[in-house]
Amino acid sequence: MKKQTDSTIKAHLIRGAFYLLLLVAACAIPFALAQRAISAPAATDISKTVQLQLPHYIVTGASADERVLNAAIPGGVCQFHVLIVYADPKPPTQLQSEIQAEPNVVAVDVFDATVGIPTLGQLQQYDIVVPFSDLAFFDAETLGNNLADYVDGGGIVVQYGFAHAGPGDPAGINGRWLTDGYNPYDYSENLETNPFSLGAFNAGHPLMVGVATLNSDFANVVTPDAAATEVAQNSLGESLVAYRPVDTHTTVGVTAYVGTVAIQSGDWGKVIVNAGNWLRNCQGSPTPTPTANRPPPTPRPRPTPFPRPTP
């Protein structure tokens, strides 16, 4: 009888212990999930974000590791994401490298503007936008409208040759950029095909800080707009760098073409980053809220390059 009682008690104890374990497990699971939700990292992979938001013809110039590393630069120091919007036979890898080599540049991306035009929302992901051409832009009117809106929102544009071709040339930036007076240079169809270097310049201007060498053999021959101020000339006596106030903002122009067709070297990237340092007063400023992106346009055949005159 006692043996049977002991067996019954033991069975109850085992069953009780089993139910207790089930109760503890049931309580522990939601607690663990809550702890996981609280402790989950909130960091965003910038490179993946950019790739998701931009069309397939964006080429990322910096790896995810480089972006995260550079994102750790202390506050109060300029940090720049730069977008080159190009209409050229090949991606501007040399100019991209020149910009990326400058201090506090987080990343340099490129956009092939012969097959599409970046939307305002896409431009607003960047602190500095650098448009240039040797071919016709996919839509020079829309590009000009979007760049003007981008500057209105606080974006910085450094316009390189042959984006000053025109007026009305599809290789030039048209639309509101031209009609509302954002262009630092008055457009023309005149070209420079002789080699040149940096000529007379204002060494005290922020755009020229640390700039010692600017070489190319291809450029627009254009004069600064009446509202613009010239900062530098090339060695041939032609205007090279100028800026123009637009309401409370400023645009910057460089007449030189520094794409794949030119033989170029020097501090072209430094001029671009200097524009950011100057116009942002070397402070990290939030970019405007991006607007919704549109689907990437259907690519079209590349147009004929901007011709050099026959010697």
Side-chain angles (χ1 to χ4, degrees):
M1 182 68 178
K2 182 179 178 182
K3 185 176 182 181
Q4 183 177 357
T5 301
D6 290 344
S7 298
T8 302
I9 292 172
K10 185 182 294 185
H12 281 298
L13 289 173
I14 293 172
R15 189 179 296 111
F18 178 72
Y19 288 149
L20 180 61
L21 288 173
L22 286 178
L23 179 61
V24 170
C27 294
I29 290 173
F31 178 77
L33 291 175
Q35 286 293 100
R36 181 179 179 184
I38 292 171
S39 60
T44 301
D45 187 328
I46 300 173
S47 64
K48 289 183 179 178
T49 300
V50 171
Q51 291 292 358
L52 286 172
Q53 293 177 341
L54 298 181
H56 67 280
Y57 41 80
I58 291 293
V59 178
T60 302
S63 68
D65 290 341
E66 289 172 324
R67 289 170 180 261
V68 171
L69 178 64
N70 284 294
I73 296 171
V77 176
C78 295
Q79 303 173 53
F80 299 114
H81 291 77
V82 181
L83 178 65
I84 304 173
V85 179
Y86 72 98
D88 211 30
K90 297 178 182 178
T93 53
Q94 183 176 347
L95 178 60
Q96 186 180 23
S97 298
E98 290 168 355
I99 301 169
Q100 186 71 67
E102 293 299 310
N104 302 334
V105 173
V106 178
V108 184
D109 295 337
V110 298
F111 190 110
D112 185 350
T114 66
V115 297
I117 297 299
T119 65
L120 175 60
Q122 290 167 343
L123 295 174
Q124 287 173 326
Q125 297 175 44
Y126 296 88
D127 306 287
I128 306 172
V129 174
V130 184
F132 82 92
S133 66
D134 185 34
L135 307 176
F137 290 110
F138 180 79
D139 185 342
E141 297 285 329
T142 299
L143 176 60
N145 294 338
N146 292 350
L147 286 173
D149 291 342
Y150 170 71
V151 169
D152 290 345
I156 297 168
V157 173
V158 183
Q159 180 183 3
Y160 268 69
F162 292 105
H164 310 286
D169 193 310
I173 300 172
N174 298 310
R176 202 164 73 80
W177 184 264
L178 186 60
T179 59
D180 291 0
Y182 290 74
N183 51 303
Y185 284 95
D186 292 335
Y187 290 7
S188 84
E189 296 290 347
N190 297 326
L191 306 180
E192 181 56 77
T193 60
N194 295 303
F196 58 85
S197 57
L198 179 60
F201 67 98
N202 181 357
H205 195 277
L207 285 171
M208 304 303 292
V209 172
V211 175
T213 306
L214 296 174
N215 299 320
S216 185
D217 62 350
F218 214 3
N220 286 120
V221 180
V222 284
T223 56
D225 185 84
T229 301
E230 183 179 88
V231 175
Q233 295 182 350
N234 64 26
S235 56
L236 303 175
E238 300 155 348
S239 187
L240 185 59
V241 181
Y243 66 90
R244 179 176 185 173
V246 183
D247 294 327
T248 59
H249 305 293
T250 299
T251 62
V252 177
V254 180
T255 61
Y257 163 83
V258 292
T260 56
V261 178
I263 300 174
Q264 65 98 341
S265 61
D267 301 314
W268 301 110
K270 189 177 293 295
V271 173
I272 292 165
V273 176
N274 281 350
N277 287 329
W278 173 41
L279 297 176
R280 284 285 169 86
N281 195 27
C282 207
Q283 299 296 319
S285 301
T287 53
T289 303
T291 57
N293 296 331
R294 67 181 181 183
T298 303
R300 68 173 186 173
R302 292 182 179 274
T304 304
F306 203 93
R308 291 178 184 257
T310 303

